[in-house]
Amino acid sequence: MNAKSSAAARIPIAVFVSPHGFGHAARTTAVLEALRTVCPNIHPYIFTTVPEWFFRESLGNGYRYHHCLTDIGLVQTSPLKEDLPETLHLLERFLPFTPSRSEGLCRMVSENGCRLILADISPLGIHIARQVGIPSVLIENFTWDWIYASYQRQFQNVIQHITYLQHIFKQVDFHIQTDPLCEERPSDLHAAPISRSVKTPRQVTRKRLTIPEKQPVVLITMGGVESRIDFPERLKSRPDITFIMPGGVHEFIRTDNVIRMPHHSTFFHPDLVHAADAVIGKAGYSTIAEVYHTGIPFGYVTRPNFRESEKLVDFITANMPGLPVPMEEFNGGEWISRLDDLLALPRVRQERPNGSYQAANFIAERLNGIGMESGFFSEPL
């Protein structure tokens, strides 16, 4: 096939990703990776404010990135604390969607011939799909109306946003829910946890980090929100363990048994999880999914005021080896005294497949069923 016919065979889709942390971007990237295996000519146009490097790490090339605010989510002042007043302030400017926000996006999606829109809880993606008249696929383990509902007694003006978002999310054409699931709703697919695939063998990653073959490794991760961690000196009390801490620094730093690196480094996060013997960190979607498929013990820190946390803990308790780490204990470093208990937990071999392939096969089937003359396209709102 020559270059001209190959380009003509491309299957463009638009992808709208919530920038709340890195979890939604990680899940979407995992689905796009898997989709390439079943639909090699797929060409994603990615709309988000998540940094472009995050997608390049997994996808390499063969996509287009557009820096675009697609969602507000929750404003966070730290990985474990949200700012509701500021969230509401930004929601007032973001919702409801106006022609000035959507017209340019509609034009880009149409001019690039996108066949459908994949939205990882971005309501804007669903709205644009309706405006343009192409199918939308929602992928979620929660939606923002469900999250915001826990704040409506404290902040009455969030109710209007809940109502509007419920209306938008109901307009989706196809609905994928993934574990760990927060609220089961009617859907077209219930998928296993979705995580990005490991790229590098465990032994190779450990060798690159000059970690002795049999020395235990603990990965400390707080997801995609930058954080200051105040206990690195306490980690030196366990020289028999190597600690890896991504995020919070701008360059690779190694001090004795503590390795610190920026989020954007030459080490792929799923590879670090795969190289570790245990993980300590925030119980967020992508971390849970990566640890789940690796099967190693998880010392999980929860966000007590975040509605998703209870559901995530229920999933961890039922399906993964782990120990709860209260936020105060994590911040102070007292959890270090329980490391031996965590490392003693057995690995669990998970029987369920990576949900990325379930989602990819579902999307590929929808793409195969979409024709320009099919009459599928919905009326714009």
Side-chain angles (χ1 to χ4, degrees):
M1 180 180 291
N2 61 37
K4 183 176 180 180
S5 59
S6 176
R10 288 195 316 174
I11 303 173
I13 65 171
V15 183
F16 283 68
V17 186
S18 172
H20 180 76
F22 284 160
H24 302 280
R27 181 164 62 196
T28 300
T29 303
V31 172
L32 292 177
E33 279 185 297
L35 189 55
R36 279 181 169 179
T37 68
V38 295
C39 191
N41 288 340
I42 201 76
H43 187 83
Y45 290 82
I46 299 172
F47 297 84
T48 188
T49 53
V50 175
E52 193 271 338
W53 63 257
F54 189 91
F55 301 95
R56 188 171 61 251
E57 276 191 336
S58 294
L59 302 177
N61 51 33
Y63 69 92
R64 290 287 299 276
Y65 172 86
H66 301 279
H67 190 268
C68 168
L69 180 63
T70 62
D71 196 9
I72 298 301
L74 279 176
V75 176
Q76 292 188 225
T77 57
S78 76
L80 301 172
K81 187 176 181 181
E82 60 271 9
D83 185 336
L84 264 298
E86 182 61 16
T87 298
L88 288 169
H89 171 70
L90 294 179
L91 281 172
E92 294 288 341
R93 299 168 58 184
F94 188 67
L95 301 175
F97 300 129
T98 61
S100 63
R101 183 176 295 280
S102 60
E103 284 175 352
L105 293 171
C106 288
R107 184 168 55 254
M108 292 177 67
V109 168
S110 296
E111 290 178 352
N112 286 297
C114 294
R115 305 288 293 278
L116 62 72
I117 289 181
L118 173 63
D120 194 320
I121 76 167
S122 163
L124 182 58
I126 299 169
H127 175 74
I128 296 300
R130 285 281 166 168
Q131 292 290 310
V132 174
I134 60 176
S136 57
V137 180
L138 169 65
I139 185 166
E140 54 93 0
N141 71 307
F142 67 79
T143 53
W144 289 119
D145 55 299
W146 183 82
I147 293 291
Y148 296 154
S150 63
Y151 303 112
Q152 56 188 336
R153 289 186 179 179
Q154 185 180 2
F155 299 95
Q156 286 289 312
N157 54 340
V158 78
I159 295 174
Q160 62 179 323
H161 303 308
I162 293 172
T163 301
Y164 181 74
L165 289 173
Q166 287 173 339
H167 171 70
I168 293 291
F169 286 124
K170 285 178 181 177
Q171 304 306 310
V172 73
D173 295 295
F174 301 108
H175 188 176
I176 300 172
Q177 290 200 296
T178 74
D179 284 331
L181 188 58
C182 290
E183 182 184 37
E184 188 168 359
R185 298 180 179 181
S187 63
D188 300 290
L189 174 67
H190 185 159
I194 293 174
S195 71
R196 294 169 293 171
S197 298
V198 171
K199 295 182 180 295
T200 307
R202 169 183 170 90
Q203 296 83 354
V204 174
T205 300
R206 291 170 67 100
K207 186 175 181 179
R208 285 185 62 198
L209 291 167
T210 63
I211 298 171
E213 184 178 348
K214 295 186 178 181
Q215 185 170 63
V217 173
V218 174
L219 177 68
I220 304 171
T221 177
M222 296 306 286
V225 179
E226 292 290 349
S227 60
R228 177 182 173 183
I229 297 177
D230 294 325
F231 50 72
E233 288 301 316
R234 299 194 61 172
L235 301 178
K236 296 177 184 178
S237 67
R238 292 300 306 265
D240 56 318
I241 298 173
T242 295
F243 297 93
I244 303 174
M245 302 169 62
V249 294
H250 299 292
E251 60 183 353
F252 188 98
I253 302 171
R254 182 165 194 153
T255 308
D256 299 323
N257 62 324
V258 180
I259 300 172
R260 306 198 68 175
M261 62 183 72
H263 279 304
H264 184 202
S265 74
T266 57
F267 291 90
F268 190 46
H269 194 273
D271 291 347
L272 295 175
V273 175
H274 188 56
D277 297 286
V279 172
I280 296 280
K282 184 180 73 173
Y285 183 92
S286 61
T287 301
I288 290 174
E290 290 170 8
V291 176
Y292 171 86
H293 286 296
T294 306
I296 60 177
F298 187 23
Y300 53 93
V301 185
T302 62
R303 291 167 285 181
N305 298 320
F306 192 50
R307 194 179 186 190
E308 182 192 20
S309 287
E310 180 181 354
K311 302 294 184 179
L312 298 181
V313 169
D314 289 345
F315 180 86
I316 295 168
T317 303
N319 298 280
M320 300 167 64
L323 293 174
V325 178
M327 184 164 52
E328 296 77 13
E329 185 178 330
F330 174 79
N331 289 334
E334 289 83 6
W335 54 270
I336 297 168
S337 65
R338 294 202 287 148
L339 265 180
D340 291 330
D341 294 335
L342 182 67
L343 289 166
L345 294 174
R347 286 177 176 249
V348 172
R349 180 180 176 83
Q350 302 294 354
E351 299 299 328
R352 298 176 72 189
N354 193 323
S356 61
Y357 290 94
Q358 294 175 283
N361 283 320
F362 178 86
I363 295 167
E365 290 173 3
R366 305 290 84 73
L367 284 167
N368 286 336
I370 296 170
M372 296 306 291
E373 311 301 329
S374 67
F376 175 88
F377 303 137
S378 308
E379 291 295 322
L381 291 177

